[in-house]
Amino acid sequence: MEGRPVNLRRTDRDQDEHWTDDAACRGSDPEIFYPVGFAGPALQQEAAAKSICAGCVVRSDCLTWALRAGEPAGIWGGTTPEERRLLRRMSA
Ligand code: SF4
């Protein structure tokens, strides 16, 4: 199974999604990027996803995309949905 960010909305690819080609999460298990819940295994999945993001050369592009798209779920650019909501509030 191919991992993220293969699942990104590819219709935008010709515009500004070319950064996904260099994503560190390509080929990784997409489930760790969508932890369910706020405890136990979900925290381990979140930590694993953030660890991959920490070494990703397109992290900034990914976070910018997620903030602009209002991505409501998943780990993007090393952030959780809650962290992105806080970032959006701080920049408003
Ligand atoms: S920052 Fe994380 S979610 Fe975004 S492309 Fe890189 S590894 Fe994937």
Side-chain angles (χ1 to χ4, degrees):
M1 171 180 15
E2 288 186 275
R4 291 196 355 158
V6 173
N7 295 332
L8 280 172
R9 299 172 186 104
R10 287 302 208 177
T11 53
D12 294 334
R13 182 176 171 76
D14 290 339
Q15 295 166 21
D16 60 354
E17 304 311 331
H18 53 82
W19 55 266
T20 61
D21 292 343
D22 296 318
C25 56
R26 288 180 69 88
S28 60
D29 180 359
E31 287 194 18
I32 67 170
F33 286 87
Y34 292 93
V36 177
F38 297 95
L43 292 179
Q44 294 172 338
Q45 290 175 316
E46 179 183 314
K50 285 185 169 185
S51 175
I52 293 172
C53 293
C56 182
V57 297
V58 294
R59 182 176 176 176
S60 177
D61 294 308
C62 180
L63 178 56
T64 297
W65 179 87
L67 290 171
R68 190 179 69 231
E71 186 61 48
I75 307 294
W76 296 91
T79 64
T80 64
E82 295 75 25
E83 291 166 339
R84 291 194 298 278
R85 278 194 285 275
L86 179 61
L87 287 172
R88 283 194 294 270
R89 277 200 300 270
M90 291 170 58
S91 65

